[in-house]
Amino acid sequence: MKYLSVCLALLPIALSSAELSAGEYPCRWVYVSRGLHNDQDVDDIRAIVKTAGDHGLNGMVLSAGLDRLDRQPAGYFQRLEAVKQACAERGIEIIPIIFSAGYGGSVLAYDRNLAEGLLVQDARFVVEGTEARLKSDFPVRMPNGGFEDHAGDRARGCRFHDQPGKVSFIDTQVFKEGKASLRFENFGQYPHGHGRVMFEVPVRPHRCYRVTAWLKTEGLEPAGRFQIQVLADGRSLAPVNVRVGATSDWRQVAIGFNSMDYDKVRIYAGVWGGKAGRFWLDDLRIDEVALVNVLRRPGTPLSVRDEGSGTVYEEGRDFAPVSDPKLTFRFDHAGPAIRLLPTTRLREGQTLRVTFYHGMAIHDGQVTICMSEPKVYDLWQKQAQLIQKHLAPKRWLLSMDEIRAGGSCQACKARKMSMAQILGDCLCRQFEMIRRVNPQAEVFVWSDMLDPNHNAHGNYYLVEGDYTGSWKHVPKDLRIVCWYYEKRSESLAHFSGLGFKTLAGAYYDGDTLDNPKGWLAALDRTPGALGIMYTTWQNKYELLGPFGDLVSKR
């Protein structure tokens, strides 16, 4: 908490009078993401910088692994120097984007155990020989997950499957296991495009589960619409994308989830918004798993105790150090066993209760790091020093968007802070470490986790806690980059009303100038607006020139 008072006491940096009196916004930027792994990256950036400079832009937000500089090869720094020279020649300022908690790849490159952890409490293990393995005290199953029990095209055991005999069919000719599968087709003929089956399954709270299914596809459009969803009280416990081909032979797909506080879940498998093609499902299963993606850091302790006596056993004395050598954050592998040591006090047949924390990827591999683990800040402080050494930027952008897990590990809970306070404290620490290496630095941050119109609320993905009020816990001289177009007026007004200066992140993967025009209209109504950024996630720069003309010739 001491960082909050330090950061909030820092005085705002004022823009020059020349900037404030200009007819155009002082910050006219373009977002560029390149790894600087090869010379083509430099050539690409040169072309973007030339266009930006020729059309009145003056800044480039650069995403290039700048917060892991001590892990970059010599060639990286040669290419970084070439980029710096190209920007200097065109009068383009480099703004590094760094320090993401939501997309934790840079931090995880140093230590994958720094991921946020979800609690598994009192999983039942039994000693057999030289190992102890999971023996669930609450076996779970998908009733009729192989679709063998049916009446015509209606499968028994599930809560529903979409339109039996019209969209879903029992298929006794094509199957993976047993004598039947569930086939879906014709869903594209209906406005919603749904083709799904759903089971309701009781579970134990704070346990880890894997859901698997065998899937076969034929001309499925779009293939990306196939999902396995796990819902509890309307909340998604497994916000994971399942990647399947449009046409593929039988393959097994797997996802995992933590049951959190819930004792019952609804498991859906199928397509939402499908257009064409067909697919088959077979052998849909759910199993409790343990120690998959187990995290080992101070804030995610592991406990092994006797079920009857409560005796707590010691790692390194009774059993070997526990870790998941794969730690993929996916559920495509088995968890490790607990291996007994020669000095163990554990005995054959003994029942144990094991408590631990595991990590989990979201969507296509997004992994959130823990904002309460001290090692994270040690890593970031070192990188701030290196960024200052190699770039000495005047402005910095904190990549603190979409923080989709947190508050669930012991490191977070021990602080007795809300998630709004934990996030605010994290931003204050980041702000302070940047100001420590450059007292004149101007620090920007993405808006969504500080915006009640966007992601600053409760029940956000796998977060345990509430981000509401996060905006109350950050330095007043943070600059806020708003990027939710549909709520642009509300978001800009929210931050402006609190005294923050703002910049628009025009999400520019469209084919017209409508998006930046809409942002400019909202910015013109916003006190303290600083400018706008051409923001593309798909490397689409065809309209960068017209964008530059639009924002610089006003």
Side-chain angles (χ1 to χ4, degrees), residues 330-364:
R330 300 187 300 272
F331 289 80
D332 54 0
H333 61 283
I338 296 176
R339 295 185 296 109
L340 276 56
L341 293 174
T343 54
T344 189
R345 293 169 289 169
L346 294 165
R347 296 293 177 260
E348 179 74 23
Q350 194 169 353
T351 299
L352 309 172
R353 293 293 176 169
V354 180
T355 295
F356 63 96
Y357 297 82
H358 69 88
M360 180 172 167
I362 293 172
H363 292 323
D364 293 314

Side-chain angles (χ1 to χ4, degrees), residues 51-318:
T51 302
D54 288 347
H55 293 272
L57 302 185
N58 59 8
M60 175 181 68
V61 170
L62 179 61
S63 173
L66 293 165
D67 48 7
R68 51 182 184 272
L69 286 176
D70 58 342
R71 294 208 158 198
Q72 301 292 3
Y76 174 94
F77 294 98
Q78 295 169 0
R79 287 184 280 272
L80 182 59
E81 287 299 318
V83 169
K84 288 169 60 178
Q85 181 179 350
C87 289
E89 291 171 353
R90 294 284 176 176
I92 301 294
E93 173 189 356
I94 296 176
I95 303 98
I97 180 169
I98 55 168
F99 296 169
S100 177
Y103 294 83
S106 287
V107 168
L108 297 175
Y110 294 88
D111 186 349
R112 295 178 72 77
N113 291 285
L114 291 171
E116 179 57 31
L118 297 167
L119 173 66
V120 171
Q121 189 166 34
D122 290 340
R124 181 175 179 268
F125 278 59
V126 175
V127 177
E128 295 180 347
T130 61
E131 295 181 338
R133 289 191 174 274
L134 177 71
K135 299 290 182 183
S136 179
D137 56 352
F138 192 74
V140 291
R141 58 182 292 271
M142 210 85 73
N144 194 31
F147 310 109
E148 304 296 313
D149 185 6
H150 55 87
D153 283 315
R154 191 176 297 275
R156 298 188 175 97
C158 60
R159 287 293 298 269
F160 80 86
H161 51 98
D162 282 312
Q163 302 192 62
K166 295 181 179 179
V167 168
S168 56
F169 306 85
I170 296 295
D171 194 327
T172 59
Q173 303 299 312
V174 179
F175 47 83
K176 176 61 179 176
E177 306 287 350
K179 297 181 179 179
S181 69
L182 188 61
R183 184 181 79 249
F184 291 85
E185 57 188 34
N186 304 326
F187 37 80
Q189 299 176 14
Y190 297 91
H192 49 68
H194 297 341
R196 310 155 302 170
V197 60
M198 189 270 277
F199 293 85
E200 192 168 81
V201 181
V203 293
R204 279 275 195 263
H206 298 293
R207 296 290 176 86
C208 187
Y209 296 92
R210 177 189 288 120
V211 178
T212 58
W214 283 95
L215 174 69
K216 176 182 170 69
T217 61
E218 186 177 284
L220 185 60
E221 295 182 14
R225 294 299 176 89
F226 180 85
Q227 299 179 61
I228 297 176
Q229 291 194 10
V230 182
L231 303 182
D233 291 341
R235 185 176 190 178
S236 175
L237 304 184
V240 181
N241 294 333
V242 179
R243 294 301 177 189
V244 301
T247 299
S248 66
D249 203 355
W250 288 107
R251 56 164 292 199
Q252 191 176 50
V253 294
I255 67 161
F257 71 95
N258 187 294
S259 54
M260 302 176 77
D261 291 325
Y262 301 103
D263 59 11
K264 183 185 298 182
V265 297
R266 291 186 171 186
I267 300 174
Y268 295 75
V271 299
W272 285 254
K275 301 298 182 184
R278 55 183 178 169
F279 66 95
W280 292 257
L281 279 174
D282 203 356
D283 197 24
L284 193 59
R285 297 175 54 90
I286 177 173
D287 297 285
E288 184 179 350
V289 295
L291 301 178
V292 180
N293 301 314
V294 60
L295 298 174
R296 306 309 314 275
R297 55 178 170 86
T300 55
L302 178 143
S303 170
V304 176
R305 64 176 177 84
D306 181 79
E307 181 180 55
S309 69
T311 299
V312 176
Y313 295 96
E314 297 179 28
E315 193 170 12
R317 175 188 174 188
D318 297 296

